[in-house]
Amino acid sequence: MQTADCDILVVPGLAGSEEEHWQARWASRLPTARIVEQADWHRPEPEAWCGRIREAVDAATRPVILIAHSLGVIASVVVAPSLPAGIVRGALLVAPPDIERTPNLPESVRAFAPIPREPLPFPALVVASRTDPYCTFERAEDFAYAWGAVIVDAGESGHINVASGHGPWPEGLMRLAGFLKNL
């Protein structure tokens, strides 16, 4: 599969993805990509966020690829079982936060707990960093195995966002291309 063959739904996390974030950059450069907008990026509500993802999938006219970051990963995993079968062909899940164990997270983020532990109904790659302040690599690896996903070790990459130096994130685009090639 190539990017032209699918609707790419970009699912940001808490506070959305600023202009320099790799998700915003990809959404503006990949012609079939669009950001799943949320009504309130700063006070996430699981039902509303999952509803927006479901609406975006329902509106797709081609097979769907989800590209989620941080809390967007958790929202995507929460909503996955309720999505129409066969529409989502795969997901790139980057820097999942451990909303169950990370201290000092906003209560609105904790409302997404518990983190689902069932296999996803589509292939997925989980890209995780060994220095993510919101999730240990071991927990991300555990999530990936529970979801039936392939884990990708991003090394010491922080939260894989602008603050950790991942503006355009060309390595991520290469991972996406390789993932799509195998779908």
Side-chain angles (χ1 to χ4, degrees):
M1 181 178 290
Q2 298 178 357
T3 59
D5 302 327
C6 57
D7 285 334
I8 298 172
L9 300 180
V10 178
V11 186
L14 185 66
S17 292
E18 65 264 46
E19 190 176 310
E20 293 303 310
H21 194 285
W22 59 268
Q23 279 188 309
R25 290 173 184 238
W26 292 10
S28 70
R29 288 179 177 86
L30 296 171
T32 64
R34 67 184 179 90
I35 292 177
V36 176
E37 294 291 341
Q38 297 295 341
D40 191 337
W41 288 110
H42 298 280
R43 288 182 292 283
E45 296 178 8
E47 189 173 314
W49 276 41
C50 290
R52 290 287 177 100
I53 296 168
R54 192 176 303 106
E55 289 168 8
V57 169
D58 288 344
T61 59
R62 292 175 283 215
V64 170
I65 300 298
L66 298 173
I67 299 179
H69 179 259
S70 195
L71 189 60
V73 170
I74 304 303
S76 297
V77 171
V78 167
V79 76
S82 70
L83 298 175
I87 301 294
V88 176
R89 299 291 173 84
L92 178 65
L93 307 173
V94 181
D98 187 348
I99 60 172
E100 297 169 339
R101 295 187 181 173
T102 302
N104 304 320
L105 290 178
E107 281 307 310
S108 60
V109 170
R110 293 193 187 286
F112 286 79
I115 296 170
R117 310 291 286 174
E118 294 78 31
L120 294 170
F122 43 76
L125 285 182
V126 173
V127 180
S129 165
R130 293 192 172 270
T131 54
D132 190 330
Y134 304 110
C135 187
T136 66
F137 183 80
E138 292 73 25
R139 279 286 280 180
E141 190 173 41
D142 185 50
F143 298 150
Y145 291 146
W147 300 335
V150 173
I151 185 78
V152 175
D153 186 340
E156 296 181 0
S157 300
H159 194 51
I160 312 177
N161 58 6
V162 175
S164 64
H166 294 83
W169 195 37
E171 297 87 357
L173 272 177
M174 290 183 349
R175 284 281 178 197
L176 176 63
F179 180 61
L180 291 176
K181 180 181 172 186
N182 293 316
L183 292 180

